[in-house]
Amino acid sequence: MPELGLMGCARAAIPTVGAFCAVSLFVFSRVLCKSSSSPQFLAADLERDQASLKQVELLRAEVYRGQTDVLQALENLRLQVAESKRALPVPVPAHLSNNATLAANATAPPTPTPTVPPVRLPPLPVAAPVTAGPTAAVTMAPLATNLRQGDGPIWDSKVIMIERKAEKQYWYQRQEKNAPIHPAFIKYNSNWPCLWGEEYTGQGSGDGNKWTCGARLIQAPCVVYSFGSNNDMKFELGIHELGLHCEIHIYDPTSPEPRDARRIGARFHKVGLGARDGFQGRFPVKTLKSLMKENGHSHIDILKVDIEDAEHEAIPQIAHEGWPSVGQFLVEVHIRNFANDMSLDKLITLIEKGNLRLFHQEVNWQYGASCCTEYAFIHKDWRPERKKYDMMMAATFVDVPLRDPRQPLPSHLRPPQVRYPAQMPQAVLPRAHGPR
């Protein structure tokens, strides 16, 4: 081994496979060679070792600069594989098996799977042989520069669609600046980050649409409960457009079945959400626990509640029985007592005790200050594939009591007081000098 020299020992130990492998194995081979060499050999090759180490540092720096391009190419490959999977025939869900149209489509000849062109990864830099001497140079192979930078055909059309929807709702919501807003709504802002992509889910703009977090990433089986329809299916159609084949249940005892419900395979139930099974006024209602039991569900991916003030009875009952496994909770909350916001604080606290965190808040300005606001909550441990969540109050929960408005503010929260003198001093102006 000593007669091979330092670089010869490295080539004998393991052949060079790409620049990154060369960098990783160089130090190991150097130590291995030195451990098996005589002191005379080490003294003779000391100068060459120092020059080689300098070249290794240069090579390592080039490899690190190329890592970004390699990761981008791998992400490109992952997205193309995911796109090809979406093009495969999707089996008809069990809850849609009775639909004659879908059954006919299921028996139709399968659509040929489109071929996905192979992705060419950028070549790793390759080091040239290192020669002795301080002027030795390393030649690097050129890196690929034709990688997509986020405007490719795989994701571009979906991003544009999301942006167009958000743009319409953005300017619709901007009109809130001219509407009287209840002061209670500014106390509960969305402080939880949506790590999975916040998206406007619905049709067009205006009331009835909702904001979701990572909804298009939800894995099968997907279950959505929608309480309060008023014959408006903007939200449900938005969920259907995501292509998740969710099992959608619509509940509303005050309106007829929406005309598009059966077209998208949604089930309509002429019953509402209440604090007990029975009647609320003249409308039949059931608890969430009873409805989930009837449908054979133990988990809801998205729970939407827009039941015109009845949430003040339904949500406390859900919290009292124990929250079921819920991934996201979208609710419109109404101000019950215009003079105070104790009822709003009570609902927010009950929801947060179920480990749900507020990631979006939007005032429903269209119906005035005495109406409502839209809140979107997500479980603090949400994952696209998870179907069971711990809804017991976490040890990290902090109970922040709402201050009684009749009590004076603490001194550190009081606005600074500015005292003005009884008579403002007159400004002394300089005497004007005329021409001499």
Coordinates of all heavy atoms in Angstrom, one line a residue, residues 196 213-214 217-219 298-302 322-329 354-356 378-393:
W196 N -49.5 24.0 5.6 CA -49.8 23.1 4.5 C -50.4 23.8 3.3 O -50.8 23.2 2.3 CB -50.7 22.0 5.0 CG -50.1 21.3 6.2 CD1 -50.4 21.6 7.5 CD2 -49.2 20.2 6.2 NE1 -49.7 20.8 8.3 CE2 -49.0 19.9 7.5 CE3 -48.6 19.4 5.2 CZ2 -48.1 18.8 7.9 CZ3 -47.8 18.4 5.5 CH2 -47.6 18.1 6.9
C213 N -57.0 24.6 5.2 CA -55.5 24.5 5.3 C -55.1 23.2 4.7 O -55.4 22.1 5.4 CB -55.1 24.7 6.7 SG -53.3 24.6 6.9
G214 N -54.4 23.1 3.6 CA -53.9 21.9 3.1 C -55.0 20.9 2.7 O -54.7 19.7 2.7
L217 N -54.4 18.1 0.2 CA -53.5 17.1 0.5 C -54.1 16.0 1.3 O -53.4 15.0 1.6 CB -52.3 17.7 1.3 CG -51.5 18.8 0.7 CD1 -50.5 19.4 1.6 CD2 -50.9 18.3 -0.6
I218 N -55.4 16.1 1.7 CA -56.0 15.1 2.6 C -56.0 13.8 1.9 O -56.4 13.6 0.7 CB -57.4 15.6 3.0 CG1 -57.4 16.9 3.8 CG2 -58.2 14.5 3.7 CD1 -58.7 17.4 4.1
Q219 N -55.7 12.7 2.6 CA -55.6 11.4 2.1 C -56.9 10.7 2.3 O -57.7 11.0 3.2 CB -54.5 10.6 2.8 CG -53.1 11.2 2.6 CD -52.7 11.3 1.2 OE1 -52.6 10.3 0.5 NE2 -52.4 12.5 0.7
S298 N -65.9 7.7 12.8 CA -65.1 8.0 14.0 C -64.2 9.2 13.8 O -63.6 9.7 14.8 CB -64.3 6.8 14.5 OG -63.4 6.5 13.5
H299 N -64.2 9.8 12.6 CA -63.3 10.9 12.3 C -63.9 11.8 11.3 O -64.5 11.3 10.3 CB -61.9 10.4 11.9 CG -61.0 11.5 11.3 ND1 -60.4 12.4 12.1 CD2 -60.7 11.9 10.1 CE1 -59.7 13.3 11.4 NE2 -59.9 13.0 10.1
I300 N -63.7 13.1 11.4 CA -64.2 14.0 10.4 C -63.0 14.9 9.9 O -62.3 15.5 10.8 CB -65.3 15.0 10.9 CG1 -66.5 14.1 11.4 CG2 -65.7 16.0 9.8 CD1 -67.6 15.0 12.0
D301 N -62.7 14.9 8.6 CA -61.6 15.7 8.2 C -61.9 17.2 8.2 O -61.0 17.9 8.6 CB -61.2 15.2 6.7 CG -60.6 13.8 6.7 OD1 -59.4 13.7 7.1 OD2 -61.3 12.9 6.3
I302 N -63.1 17.6 7.7 CA -63.5 19.0 7.8 C -64.9 19.1 8.3 O -65.8 18.5 7.7 CB -63.4 19.6 6.4 CG1 -61.9 19.6 5.8 CG2 -63.8 21.1 6.5 CD1 -61.8 20.2 4.4
G322 N -67.3 15.6 24.7 CA -65.9 15.3 24.3 C -65.8 15.4 22.8 O -66.6 14.7 22.1
W323 N -64.9 16.2 22.4 CA -64.8 16.4 20.9 C -64.4 15.1 20.2 O -63.5 14.4 20.7 CB -63.7 17.4 20.6 CG -64.0 18.9 20.8 CD1 -64.0 19.6 22.0 CD2 -64.6 19.7 19.8 NE1 -64.4 20.9 21.8 CE2 -64.8 21.0 20.5 CE3 -64.9 19.6 18.5 CZ2 -65.3 22.1 19.8 CZ3 -65.5 20.7 17.8 CH2 -65.7 21.9 18.5
P324 N -65.1 14.8 19.1 CA -64.7 13.7 18.3 C -63.4 14.1 17.5 O -63.0 15.2 17.6 CB -65.8 13.4 17.4 CG -66.5 14.8 17.2 CD -66.3 15.5 18.5
S325 N -62.8 13.1 16.9 CA -61.6 13.4 16.1 C -62.0 14.3 14.9 O -62.7 13.9 14.0 CB -61.0 12.1 15.6 OG -59.8 12.4 14.8
V326 N -61.5 15.5 14.9 CA -61.8 16.5 13.9 C -60.4 17.1 13.4 O -59.6 17.6 14.2 CB -62.7 17.6 14.4 CG1 -62.9 18.7 13.4 CG2 -64.0 17.0 14.8
G327 N -60.2 17.1 12.1 CA -59.0 17.7 11.6 C -59.1 19.2 11.4 O -58.2 19.9 11.9
Q328 N -60.2 19.7 10.9 CA -60.4 21.2 10.7 C -61.8 21.5 11.1 O -62.7 20.8 10.7 CB -60.0 21.6 9.3 CG -58.6 21.4 8.9 CD -58.2 21.9 7.5 OE1 -58.7 23.0 7.2 NE2 -57.4 21.2 6.8
F329 N -62.0 22.7 11.7 CA -63.3 23.1 12.2 C -63.5 24.5 11.6 O -62.8 25.5 12.0 CB -63.4 23.0 13.7 CG -64.7 23.5 14.3 CD1 -65.9 23.0 13.7 CD2 -64.8 24.3 15.3 CE1 -67.1 23.4 14.3 CE2 -66.0 24.7 15.9 CZ -67.2 24.2 15.3
G354 N -60.2 21.8 22.8 CA -60.1 20.6 22.0 C -58.9 20.5 21.1 O -58.9 19.7 20.1
N355 N -57.9 21.3 21.4 CA -56.6 21.3 20.6 C -56.8 21.8 19.2 O -55.9 21.5 18.3 CB -56.0 19.9 20.6 CG -55.6 19.4 22.0 OD1 -55.3 20.2 22.8 ND2 -55.5 18.1 22.2
L356 N -57.8 22.6 19.0 CA -58.0 23.3 17.7 C -57.5 24.7 17.8 O -57.7 25.4 18.8 CB -59.5 23.3 17.3 CG -60.1 21.9 17.1 CD1 -61.6 21.9 17.1 CD2 -59.6 21.3 15.7
I378 N -57.7 24.5 13.0 CA -57.1 23.3 12.6 C -56.4 22.6 13.8 O -56.0 23.3 14.7 CB -56.0 23.5 11.5 CG1 -55.5 22.2 10.9 CG2 -54.9 24.4 12.0 CD1 -54.6 22.4 9.7
H379 N -56.5 21.3 13.8 CA -55.9 20.6 15.0 C -54.4 20.9 15.0 O -53.7 21.0 14.0 CB -56.1 19.1 14.9 CG -55.8 18.4 16.2 ND1 -54.6 18.0 16.6 CD2 -56.7 18.0 17.1 CE1 -54.6 17.4 17.7 NE2 -55.9 17.4 18.1
K380 N -53.9 21.1 16.2 CA -52.5 21.6 16.3 C -51.5 20.5 15.9 O -50.3 20.8 15.6 CB -52.2 21.9 17.8 CG -52.2 20.8 18.8 CD -51.9 21.2 20.2 CE -51.7 20.1 21.2 NZ -50.5 19.3 20.8
D381 N -51.9 19.2 15.7 CA -51.1 18.2 15.3 C -51.5 17.7 13.9 O -51.3 16.5 13.5 CB -51.1 17.0 16.2 CG -50.6 17.4 17.6 OD1 -49.7 18.2 17.7 OD2 -51.1 16.9 18.6
W382 N -52.1 18.5 13.1 CA -52.7 18.1 11.8 C -51.7 17.6 10.8 O -50.6 18.2 10.7 CB -53.5 19.3 11.2 CG -54.4 18.8 10.0 CD1 -55.6 18.4 10.1 CD2 -54.0 18.9 8.6 NE1 -56.1 18.1 8.8 CE2 -55.1 18.4 7.9 CE3 -52.9 19.3 7.9 CZ2 -55.1 18.3 6.5 CZ3 -52.9 19.2 6.6 CH2 -54.0 18.7 5.9
R383 N -52.1 16.5 10.2 CA -51.3 15.9 9.1 C -52.2 15.4 8.0 O -53.4 15.0 8.3 CB -50.4 14.7 9.6 CG -49.4 15.0 10.7 CD -48.3 15.9 10.1 NE -47.2 16.1 11.1 CZ -47.3 17.1 12.0 NH1 -48.3 17.9 12.1 NH2 -46.3 17.2 12.9
P384 N -51.9 15.5 6.8 CA -52.8 15.1 5.7 C -53.3 13.7 5.8 O -54.4 13.4 5.4 CB -52.0 15.4 4.4 CG -50.9 16.3 4.8 CD -50.6 16.0 6.2
E385 N -52.5 12.8 6.3 CA -52.9 11.4 6.3 C -53.5 10.9 7.6 O -54.0 9.8 7.7 CB -51.6 10.5 6.0 CG -50.6 10.4 7.2 CD -49.8 11.6 7.4 OE1 -49.8 12.5 6.5 OE2 -49.0 11.7 8.3
R386 N -53.5 11.7 8.6 CA -53.9 11.3 9.9 C -55.5 11.3 10.0 O -56.2 12.2 9.5 CB -53.4 12.2 11.0 CG -53.6 11.7 12.4 CD -52.8 12.5 13.4 NE -51.4 12.4 13.2 CZ -50.4 13.0 14.0 NH1 -50.8 13.8 14.9 NH2 -49.2 12.8 13.7
K387 N -56.0 10.2 10.6 CA -57.4 10.0 10.8 C -57.9 9.8 12.2 O -59.0 9.4 12.5 CB -57.9 8.8 10.0 CG -57.5 8.9 8.5 CD -58.2 10.1 7.8 CE -57.8 10.2 6.3 NZ -58.4 11.4 5.7
K388 N -57.0 10.2 13.1 CA -57.4 10.1 14.6 C -56.5 11.1 15.3 O -55.3 11.0 15.3 CB -57.2 8.7 15.1 CG -57.6 8.5 16.6 CD -57.4 7.1 17.1 CE -57.9 7.0 18.5 NZ -57.8 5.6 19.0
Y389 N -57.2 12.0 16.0 CA -56.5 13.1 16.8 C -56.9 13.0 18.2 O -58.0 12.6 18.6 CB -56.9 14.4 16.2 CG -56.4 14.7 14.8 CD1 -57.2 14.5 13.7 CD2 -55.1 15.1 14.6 CE1 -56.7 14.8 12.4 CE2 -54.6 15.3 13.3 CZ -55.4 15.2 12.3 OH -54.9 15.4 11.0
D390 N -56.0 13.4 19.0 CA -56.2 13.6 20.5 C -56.9 14.9 20.7 O -56.3 16.0 20.5 CB -54.8 13.5 21.2 CG -55.0 13.6 22.7 OD1 -56.2 13.5 23.2 OD2 -54.0 13.7 23.4
M391 N -58.1 14.8 21.1 CA -58.9 16.1 21.4 C -59.0 16.4 22.8 O -59.7 17.4 23.2 CB -60.3 15.9 20.8 CG -60.4 15.4 19.4 SD -59.6 16.5 18.1 CE -60.7 17.8 18.1
M392 N -58.3 15.7 23.7 CA -58.2 16.1 25.1 C -57.4 17.3 25.3 O -56.3 17.5 24.6 CB -57.7 14.9 25.9 CG -58.6 13.7 25.9 SD -60.2 14.0 26.7 CE -59.7 14.2 28.4
M393 N -57.7 18.2 26.1 CA -57.0 19.5 26.3 C -55.5 19.2 26.6 O -55.2 18.4 27.5 CB -57.6 20.2 27.5 CG -57.0 21.6 27.7 SD -57.8 22.6 29.0 CE -57.2 21.6 30.5

